[in-house]
Amino acid sequence: EPSGQEAKVLSQLTNFPIAGATAISNISTSTALTAPIRYVEKSTGHIYEISPQGKDRNRLSNTTILKIFETFWSPDANKMIMRYFNDSAVSNFSAKFSTSTTAIEGIFLPQETFAVAVSPFENKVFYLQQMENTNYGILTDFTNKKKDNIFSMPFSEFNLAWPAKNIIAFTTKPSFGADGFLYFLDTKTKEFYKVIGKIKGLTASVSSKANWVLYSQSVNKGFSAFVFNVKDKSSNNFGLTTLPEKCVWSKINADVVFCAAPKTFPTADYPDEWYQGLVSFDDAIWEINVGTGETQIIYENANADVINPFLTADENYFLFTNKKDLTLWSLKIK
């Protein structure tokens, strides 16, 4: 590693595949240094907590749930939506657990639920439910008791994210040959509007105040990354060639994004062949201020293909899953 990087410690937190992880985000800063990370063991569905340094591993639940492929966590990390394969269908289980018992309790979201997002700021859940030929957007909490139907439309092929307090991002499912679109749904005004569109292979990551969008565009057997200013509707080259799925935005400074970026990438149809696991990357980790254009490398050889990155509450640690084997890693960045 280049000089000055000795303090940047990369730690492997699990030696087995996980099905999602998070950092408890709303804890007092005095305890944030040992802020527990929570993760789900893919093979069992058991929930563990661990420090970002890889110490104090503790199993929180022993309810076995098989075939989990995705989890969405509440800010306090005591509740989550687990998505898993049940025969050939997908079940969406809204789970809560307490540290006093080791059982998970919860409810199932409706069987017709096909996409889910969870607020990073409060205990709110949004899901898309298909009924007859219409897709309804339901705003609720983890009990799904009080449901507010805030949205409906005939199309269903969306990936959801909840980046900012009142903004849910809808991205059309990406493919290198298809025009992609990004829409915002304002949960307060219930307004649904297009942000960017007609971009081949579009994937996107929205900043924590929804003022920036980092997006990628498929270009002949490769891809390019751009940053879009939501206010003045302008796009600029991002400066790094990466996929937005490898990036996480700061909540402390909404202009700052931490990204893993492949050092080299083979010619392929992106993002399709990367999603399918036909191509793989070795990433370096960067910090970029999109407001000032300042870019600095944090760690040169992560020896990982980074997905699902997130930060601890104090933003001293960058955590990620290695796409190659789904293990959980932590990098001290401050």
Side-chain angles (χ1 to χ4, degrees), residues 216 219 222-226 237-243 246 260-265 281 283 286:
S216 68
V219 291
F223 57 95
S224 305
F226 300 89
N237 201 308
F238 182 49
L240 275 184
T241 303
T242 192
L243 294 164
K246 295 181 165 286
K263 294 194 286 187
T264 59
F265 52 90
F281 303 138
D283 292 336
W286 299 76

Side-chain angles (χ1 to χ4, degrees), residues 73-75 117-126 142 162-166:
W73 303 73
S74 64
V118 167
S119 169
F121 301 99
E122 47 201 340
N123 283 321
K124 285 186 176 171
V125 175
F126 177 82
F142 285 85
W162 197 325
K165 187 114 192 209
N166 300 314

Side-chain angles (χ1 to χ4, degrees), residues 182 184 195-196 199 202-208 210-217 223-244 247-249 253-259 288-295:
L182 169 71
F184 282 176
V195 182
I196 43 179
I199 293 164
L202 174 77
T203 76
S205 173
V206 181
S207 68
S208 58
N211 52 339
W212 302 101
V213 179
L214 170 61
Y215 69 92
S216 68
Q217 177 171 9
F223 57 95
S224 305
F226 300 89
V227 65
F228 177 77
N229 182 324
V230 175
K231 213 184 207 149
D232 68 19
K233 301 189 169 24
S234 62
S235 272
N236 285 302
N237 201 308
F238 182 49
L240 275 184
T241 303
T242 192
L243 294 164
C247 299
V248 56
W249 290 88
N253 179 348
D255 290 349
V256 168
V257 62
F258 296 90
C259 280
I288 299 97
N289 183 316
V290 296
T292 63
E294 203 180 331
T295 301

Side-chain angles (χ1 to χ4, degrees), residues 175-193:
S175 180
F176 70 97
D179 282 339
F181 295 83
L182 169 71
Y183 301 89
F184 282 176
L185 173 63
D186 186 316
T187 57
K188 274 218 157 42
T189 65
K190 306 187 181 179
E191 187 192 357
F192 183 75
Y193 54 97

Side-chain angles (χ1 to χ4, degrees), residues 20-59:
T22 193
I24 300 173
S25 65
N26 50 4
I27 45 175
S28 68
T29 44
S30 59
T31 58
L33 277 175
T34 54
I37 308 302
R38 292 191 173 164
Y39 65 84
V40 178
E41 185 177 22
K42 193 171 172 65
S43 62
T44 61
H46 296 168
I47 300 164
Y48 290 81
E49 65 182 10
I50 194 168
S51 75
Q53 303 90 347
K55 300 188 176 79
D56 311 318
R57 186 197 311 268
N58 177 24
R59 189 168 79 178

